[in-house]
Structure formats: C-alpha cells, structure tokens
C-alpha cells in the first residue's frame, strides 16, 4: 500500500500540514481532540509511526542553518560573524554545534533540510532571510523538522520567530536626520523580496510622513559594496540628489561613502550617511559612520534558546530582542543650504 503523505492526511482531517506534524509527532500545539482525529485518519490511510510521514526523533545536539546567498557573503558581511558569535555562546547550553551550509537556490535549500531530517543530522534549524510569501516555514512544519525563524514576527506557533525591531530603529534614524534639517533622504535598500526589507520600507514611509520629509524614497540593490557604490553614484547624479543617504547594511554604507567622496562630495558637509548594523567597518571609516546598533549576537543566542524549547516540545512564542541602539558619529551633520 502506498504510504500516506502529510498533505493527504491534512486534507482529509481539514487541518494544516503543521498541525498534522504536531499531532503525529506527539508535540504540543494542537488540541487533544484534533490530535485524536488526525491520528485516527492517519491510521485509516495506512500510516504507522516511523512510516510514511516523518516521525520526529530527538537527533544530535547539532543545529542547522542554510544560507541562500553566495558563500563569500559569510566573510564579507560582519552581520554573519556577529550572529554566529551569539549562536555559539548561548549561555543556557554552552557552545552550540552548528551545521552551516550555503545553497545556490531555494529548491536546493529545501533539499538540504529534507536530507538533514532524513539522516537525523540536526535536531532543528535556524531559518534566515525570510521572504515575502516564504513557503519554508510550511515546508519545515510539514516534514516535522523543528525550526525558528530569524525575523518577523510571523505569528505562528509551529515556527516561532526571533526578531529585531527595525521599525523603532528606522524611526530613530529619520528623527535624527530631520532634526539636522534634512528633508531629502534616500534609503539604499537590499532586495525587495526580503521580508525585513519590506518592514523597513514600511517604517521608512511611515516615519517620513510623520516628520514631514518632502522627498524620502527607497531604491534597491544587492548587499554588496559594489552594488551600493553604483546605486549611490546614480542617485547623487540625478536631478533629485538627496542631502542624506541611509544604507541597509554596513558594507553598503562604506561602499556608498567611497562613491560619494569619489564624486567630490564632503561627508557630512555635503551629504550625511547612516549605516544599518554598526560594526568595525563603521568605526574605521573616515569619517566614522553614524549607525544603527542592532543586538545581532543577542538575536543568535535567543534563537538557539527558543529552538531548544521547540525541539524539547515546549511552548515557544515569537520573541523580540532588546531595543536597537543608535551611534551618532561624524558622517551625519546639519544641512548646508544649497
């Protein structure tokens, strides 16, 4: 007899695939009545523990993380170093064994998750770079692989989130620039497909509206210094040249700073610059860059803690880190009237 799939059981029971995974794996997250109904329908379809659906078994203490970006990004972006530092020093459990792999595509990423689950390589995974309409939380819930998303909040109990408050940080950035007299601000953002990009864009638009910024807009590029430099040159040569630029990461901000100086602009006399995610790059730049200080290492440590709760069958909820800070340095100053 063909073994039933999670999708087939969910359709017959009238519940989500995540609920089926919870019910068959004996995890919290569904009522006892739902659990009994799912188990009975699964039995009728020929399911047995360890059979057609993937029964969750506590694997090794290792956790997994797949990065769907070029492998060089792991060394080029200080964000990843800070995140990994937090993952490794999660205080409740000591050092964490992390299986880290880069994937060239979303389909390749999902294949890695399925292989890890099948081979019991990891006990759970940390989900990076949430995208608009992301199906990965559903896929992971369906196969029964515990997961925590870095970003959100998603508002779902089967794949809880650990997130940083980008909205509050964006409001602080624009309030600082508006206080210096800036009314024309361009944000150089990452790809539009990322959920955190949309969150920041929404916060940027809302804050600009509250502050009465006449010309505030967002342009998109990749996260590289080259992409940011090219975008910066185009923006600054346009008829709507801004008095301030806000970059979505530190690498982009340094690339933008170099590009602006290459055009003969003085920072901050002619142009103010703000970076997202403070790092040593921001402190070593000349002038040193005003930057958002997000608790990235704390995010990594919290994510491990929440994932351990999920793996152990406990109730885990969306969790926010401490409030981001803001370091004001030499790259921002008052507007010089043109």
């Amino acid at each position: 007899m063909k073994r039933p799939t999670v999708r087939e059981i969910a359709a017959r029971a009238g519940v989500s695939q995540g609920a089926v995974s919870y019910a068959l794996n004996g995890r919290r997250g569904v009522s006892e009545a739902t659990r009994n109904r799912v188990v009975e329908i699964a039995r009728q379809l020929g399911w047995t523990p360890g059979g057609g659906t993937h029964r969750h078994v506590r694997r090794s203490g290792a956790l997994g993380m797949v990065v769907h970006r070029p492998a060089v990004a792991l060394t080029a972006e200080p964000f990843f170093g800070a995140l990994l530092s937090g993952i490794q020093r999660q205080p409740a459990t000591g050092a964490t064994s992390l299986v880290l792999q880069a994937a060239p595509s979303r389909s390749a990423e999902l294949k890695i998750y399925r292989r890890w689950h099948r081979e019991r390589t990891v006990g759970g995974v940390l989900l990076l770079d949430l995208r608009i309409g992301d199906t990965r939380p559903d896929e992971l819930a369906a196969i029964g692989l515990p997961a925590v998303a870095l970003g959100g909040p998603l508002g779902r109990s089967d794949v809880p989130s650990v997130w940083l408050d980008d909205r509050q940080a964006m409001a602080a950035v624009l309030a600082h620039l508006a206080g210096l007299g800036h009314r024309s601000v361009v944000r150089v953002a990452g790809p539009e497909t990322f959920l955190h990009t949309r969150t920041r864009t929404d916060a940027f638009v809302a804050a600009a509206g509250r502050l009465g910024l006449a010309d505030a807009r967002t342009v998109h590029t990749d996260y590289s210094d080259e992409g940011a430099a090219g975008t910066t040159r185009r923006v600054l040569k346009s008829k709507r040249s801004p008095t301030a630029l806000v970059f979505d990461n530190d690498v982009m901000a340094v690339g933008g700073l170099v590009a602006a100086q290459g055009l003969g602009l003085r920072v901050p006399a002619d142009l103010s610059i703000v970076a997202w995610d403070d790092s040593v790059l921001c402190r070593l730049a000349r002038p040193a860059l005003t930057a958002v200080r997000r608790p990235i290492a704390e995010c990594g440590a919290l994510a491990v803690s929440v994932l351990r709760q999920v793996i152990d069958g406990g109730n885990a909820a969306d969790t926010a880190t401490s409030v981001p800070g803001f370091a004001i340095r030499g790259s921002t100053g008052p507007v010089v009237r043109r």
Side-chain angles (χ1 to χ4, degrees):
M1 178 184 296
K2 178 185 175 183
R3 289 173 174 172
T5 66
V6 169
R7 186 185 301 276
E8 290 169 340
I9 297 172
R12 181 73 67 87
V15 298
S16 69
Q17 295 180 48
V20 171
S21 175
Y22 273 12
L24 297 183
N25 293 326
R27 294 169 59 197
R28 298 177 185 175
V30 294
S31 68
E32 196 61 29
T34 298
R35 187 187 310 279
N36 292 337
R37 185 170 80 257
V38 168
V39 170
E40 175 58 22
I41 290 172
R43 186 192 63 77
Q44 293 172 7
L45 291 174
W47 174 85
T48 56
T53 56
H54 293 277
R55 182 174 176 84
H56 173 64
V57 178
R58 179 76 181 270
R59 298 163 180 82
S60 69
L63 305 179
M65 188 165 70
V66 180
V67 180
H68 177 208
R69 295 200 202 177
V72 67
L74 294 175
T75 56
E77 291 190 44
F79 168 87
F80 287 108
L83 181 65
L84 292 173
S85 172
I87 290 171
Q88 287 298 314
R89 66 171 188 254
Q90 206 285 323
T93 58
T96 298
S97 178
L98 181 69
V99 181
L100 179 62
Q101 190 166 342
S105 65
R106 281 298 180 213
S107 60
E109 180 178 351
L110 290 172
K111 287 180 181 178
I112 292 170
Y113 293 140
R114 294 186 186 105
R115 174 168 53 80
W116 282 351
H117 178 79
R118 183 176 63 253
E119 298 174 358
R120 301 179 183 177
T121 304
V122 299
V125 297
L126 300 172
L127 194 58
L128 286 179
D129 289 337
L130 292 172
R131 294 174 181 258
I132 297 170
D134 206 323
T135 62
R136 291 175 299 161
D138 290 331
E139 295 273 358
L140 290 168
I143 66 174
L145 182 57
V148 166
L150 278 73
L154 298 180
R156 51 188 298 167
S157 60
D158 53 350
V159 183
S161 311
V162 172
W163 56 286
L164 301 120
D165 191 352
D166 280 345
R167 293 183 181 277
Q168 188 167 338
M170 186 63 75
V173 167
L174 289 190
H176 171 65
L177 293 174
L180 294 171
H182 294 277
R183 292 295 178 269
S184 179
V185 181
V186 170
R187 170 173 159 253
V188 182
E192 292 181 85
T193 54
F194 287 126
L195 186 59
H196 64 254
T197 300
R198 184 173 68 178
T199 298
R200 293 181 195 175
T201 298
D202 291 344
F204 181 82
V205 171
R210 288 194 303 270
L211 295 165
L213 302 188
D215 183 17
R217 63 191 190 276
T218 295
V219 295
H220 296 274
T221 183
D222 60 16
Y223 284 117
S224 70
D225 57 320
E226 296 94 341
T231 300
T232 298
R233 284 189 287 268
R234 287 192 296 275
V235 167
L236 295 178
K237 289 179 179 179
S238 69
K239 294 180 180 180
R240 298 169 61 194
S241 180
T243 61
L245 293 174
V246 178
F247 290 89
D248 259 16
N249 75 8
D250 44 0
V251 173
M252 294 166 70
V254 172
L257 170 65
V258 173
Q261 291 172 334
L263 294 175
L265 296 176
R266 299 165 299 162
V267 177
D270 300 319
L271 178 73
S272 286
I273 292 178
V274 177
W276 216 262
D277 290 340
D278 190 21
S279 72
V280 67
L281 293 179
C282 298
R283 298 189 290 275
L284 292 178
R286 289 296 177 266
L289 295 175
T290 294
V292 173
R293 280 181 163 171
R294 296 195 305 164
I296 299 169
E298 178 191 338
C299 180
L302 272 176
V304 170
S305 178
V306 173
L307 183 53
R308 295 290 186 201
Q309 293 178 46
V310 175
I311 292 171
D312 291 339
N315 289 324
D318 291 341
T319 305
T321 66
S322 57
V323 177
F326 191 46
I328 299 175
R329 301 193 180 99
S331 67
T332 52
V335 173
V336 176
R337 299 300 173 188
R338 298 176 179 178

